[in-house]
Amino acid sequence: MKRFFANWAGGFVDGTKAMRALLWLVAGMIAIELVQHVIEVRTGFFSTDPAVRKAASMAPERMALGWPKMFATWGLAFFAVRFLVLGDAGAALRVPALAWRRYAGVVVFQLVPALAIIYAEPILAALGAAPGGQAGTGQAVIGVRLVFGLGQQLLEPLLLLWFVNAAIGTTGFGPLESARATGWWYFAVLPMVFVTRLPFSAVHQGLNRYAMGQSAGVMWGMLALDAVLVSIMVVMIAAVQLRAARFVAERRGVRMLTEQPRPVIANAPPLRSR
């Protein structure tokens, strides 16, 4: 239990270091989130009318920025992990081709459930799998979103060694190898990740929910705080996941990084696996 909380708290310390080192990336993420909030306000996403909110959620301009924002989120996590392993911001930003290729698989893993969650209703309609009228459609949509959202979060702890090796650009630990190496230690890692993610997610959802129908000053205060929170959440979750990957590697007696790739800059420090 002591080791659990030491790793969990250490992840927040690591995340703070990453945010300071990658300040411009964090600021960019905050800016993107704020721009999306501007679009959401204009389209009525924070209206008290459910019909207006539903229409605004799929507005073309919101979706046009929503996907770049998602990729920016995954990118910020990618660079945070690289910095925390390499120990140098310059090295973290100089990404070898192998890291881009390997991390594309991690992005696909994140992308598929995101697509299912966002487009659950049109997907069900296209499949003709939304019986029972409006109430049945709503329940089916909620069910799809729950399965994919929760399923992704339950799978992530098995794949952390893959995430780290992909971000650094080694050839070791694909998804299956990561899951095998994690084994029963999954049940130690899962709470660590959930304890990090759930409070951030709850506050994020709460700020968006309570911004509905508020005066402009109160609403924008909540949305500005939310933009900062999202960026902090991305970095902190990535940092805790890295701690969890190290924990698994130590318990299984294996190297977190299965090889030492060539440094991307001449003065880059050696990679640390522990």
Side-chain angles (χ1 to χ4, degrees):
M1 186 63 68
K2 182 179 179 180
R3 187 62 185 273
F4 174 93
F5 284 106
N7 275 292
W8 179 70
F12 283 86
V13 174
D14 295 344
T16 301
K17 292 177 182 177
M19 290 184 66
R20 292 175 62 185
L22 304 173
L23 188 59
W24 288 109
L25 290 180
V26 174
M29 185 72 241
I30 293 172
I32 292 172
E33 188 73 19
L34 282 173
V35 171
Q36 187 180 48
H37 283 325
V38 170
I39 293 172
E40 289 171 338
V41 170
R42 288 180 177 176
T43 56
F45 187 75
F46 297 102
S47 169
T48 54
D49 186 337
V52 174
R53 288 201 307 273
K54 182 177 180 181
S57 68
M58 298 299 288
E61 55 267 47
R62 180 175 184 267
M63 298 304 294
L65 184 64
W67 284 112
K69 188 198 83 169
M70 292 292 289
F71 282 97
T73 298
W74 298 325
L76 181 56
F78 170 75
F79 285 112
V81 170
R82 285 185 56 79
F83 167 75
L84 291 173
V85 174
L86 295 168
D88 180 87
L93 295 173
R94 295 175 182 266
V95 184
L98 181 59
W100 287 124
R101 292 197 300 270
R102 291 212 66 200
Y103 206 76
V106 177
V107 170
V108 170
F109 169 77
Q110 307 281 356
L111 181 63
V112 170
L115 286 168
I117 291 167
I118 294 170
Y119 296 106
E121 190 167 351
I123 289 172
L124 286 171
L127 294 174
Q134 191 65 32
T137 301
Q139 291 174 2
V141 169
I142 291 171
V144 168
R145 288 174 174 166
L146 181 63
V147 167
F148 278 91
L150 186 59
Q152 178 193 21
Q153 293 185 32
L154 290 174
L155 280 174
E156 273 187 0
L158 288 170
L159 305 175
L160 300 183
L161 289 168
W162 171 42
F163 288 5
V164 175
N165 279 268
I168 301 305
T170 77
T171 57
F173 283 120
L176 292 179
E177 292 85 356
S178 179
R180 288 195 201 101
T182 304
W184 290 106
W185 288 107
Y186 167 85
F187 295 102
V189 171
L190 178 65
M192 191 185 304
V193 177
F194 260 61
V195 165
T196 306
R197 187 188 297 274
L198 290 182
F200 277 117
S201 297
V203 176
H204 170 56
Q205 293 171 11
L207 287 169
N208 280 266
R209 183 169 59 252
Y210 291 119
M212 297 175 188
Q214 299 289 344
S215 65
V218 173
M219 178 184 67
W220 278 112
M222 290 183 171
L223 296 182
L225 181 59
D226 179 64
V228 175
L229 176 76
V230 167
S231 298
I232 294 173
M233 174 175 65
V234 170
V235 175
M236 294 305 173
I237 290 174
V240 171
Q241 287 182 335
L242 176 58
R243 283 272 180 160
R246 283 183 173 139
F247 173 84
V248 169
E250 290 170 1
R251 289 297 180 271
R252 295 305 301 265
V254 299
R255 296 180 63 89
M256 183 182 71
L257 299 174
T258 55
E259 63 183 59
Q260 296 287 314
R262 187 178 303 166
V264 291
I265 56 176
N267 62 345
L271 296 183
R272 300 192 303 269
S273 65
R274 301 178 77 85

